[in-house]
Amino acid sequence: MKIKVKITVLLLLLITLLDVHTSSAQTNENAVGEVTLAKENPNKLTGYIEMNYYRHYLWRGALWGNDDVSQPELHVDYGNFSFALCSNLNLYPKNLPDEFYKKKVVFDEQDIELGYQNNLGKMEYQVLLWGYFYFNQLNTPNTGELFVKLQYPVWKNTKVFTENITDIASYSGAFFNSTGLLYEKEIFSEFTSMFFT
């Protein structure tokens, strides 16, 4: 476990150094972590890291466990392709096997994401392949998912979208869908341009 944690920390430090030497991508994130790449220089290698803290582990609206968790993430983008690593660290775990009872942090999940996004005319599409690898968890097999998102503009600042996720490994046949309208508008542009330009 110590070796795995050290490798994750090393990767996070490496991407931090990479991010310092390259300009940041302009990003736009949605509920499932979609990243829209900067269009000014689409073939530039960009990346970022983030550290998230959550009071409880939530998965698509469902509560799993009652431990505080920290989830460091590493993202790298090149052109229309993306790569991401996300770990889960249980902080002060309570409901784990006895061997972990006295530990303050337990590394119990590593997720890997490979993605591609582009457009066909006005329709934008994104395809992601997710791998979920679980450590130190009882009765939790590793698995993988295929994610496909389509969105199309219907009015000014408004797009209709559909997100479809299917399990392609341990839970064959499991399916998740989210469909709706997405409205985006910058409402503080005049205010920010008055004070910050």
Side-chain angles (χ1 to χ4, degrees):
M1 183 180 127
K2 289 182 180 178
I3 293 174
K4 291 177 185 173
V5 172
K6 287 180 182 178
I7 290 172
T8 302
V9 171
L10 181 62
L11 285 173
L12 290 173
L13 290 174
L14 180 63
I15 198 62
T16 302
L17 292 173
L18 175 67
D19 193 40
V20 168
H21 293 292
T22 61
S23 62
S24 300
Q26 295 176 4
T27 61
N28 176 19
E29 295 190 17
N30 69 9
V32 294
E34 172 196 358
V35 176
T36 302
L37 299 176
K39 300 298 181 189
E40 290 81 11
N41 189 352
N43 292 324
K44 187 171 187 177
L45 182 67
T46 60
Y48 65 93
I49 61 169
E50 62 185 25
M51 177 68 80
N52 298 302
Y53 168 82
Y54 300 101
R55 185 66 183 89
H56 300 296
Y57 189 111
L58 288 174
W59 178 244
R60 295 179 184 148
L63 179 65
W64 295 90
N66 56 4
D67 300 324
D68 297 2
V69 296
S70 178
Q71 295 180 336
E73 297 183 22
L74 174 149
H75 296 262
V76 177
D77 301 306
Y78 183 76
N80 293 353
F81 296 92
S82 62
F83 171 77
L85 291 173
C86 178
S87 301
N88 187 73
L89 306 173
N90 262 300
L91 309 176
Y92 301 99
K94 300 183 240 349
N95 298 324
L96 291 176
D98 292 341
E99 61 203 84
F100 304 116
Y101 181 74
K102 294 185 179 180
K103 295 189 176 182
K104 294 184 177 179
V105 177
V106 172
F107 171 52
D108 64 359
E109 180 181 341
Q110 179 65 61
D111 304 336
I112 298 174
E113 173 192 301
L114 297 172
Y116 179 80
Q117 65 180 22
N118 209 332
N119 59 333
L120 291 169
K122 291 184 178 180
M123 186 180 72
E124 301 170 22
Y125 65 91
Q126 181 180 34
V127 179
L128 299 173
L129 184 61
W130 284 325
Y132 302 98
F133 303 93
Y134 302 103
F135 315 100
N136 306 318
Q137 296 191 41
L138 298 174
N139 302 318
T140 309
N142 300 332
T143 193
E145 291 181 336
L146 178 65
F147 168 94
V148 177
K149 178 178 182 177
L150 304 173
Q151 59 183 31
Y152 190 85
V154 289
W155 300 291
K156 184 178 179 181
N157 302 326
T158 306
K159 298 176 181 178
V160 63
F161 75 91
T162 180
E163 298 173 345
N164 300 280
I165 305 169
T166 184
D167 195 289
I168 56 174
S170 297
Y171 303 98
S172 182
F175 182 78
F176 177 83
N177 171 269
S178 176
T179 301
L181 289 175
L182 174 67
Y183 179 81
E184 294 179 320
K185 181 172 175 63
E186 188 174 349
I187 59 175
F188 292 110
S189 59
E190 293 180 11
F191 174 79
T192 54
S193 63
M194 283 188 335
F195 293 99
F196 299 106
T197 57

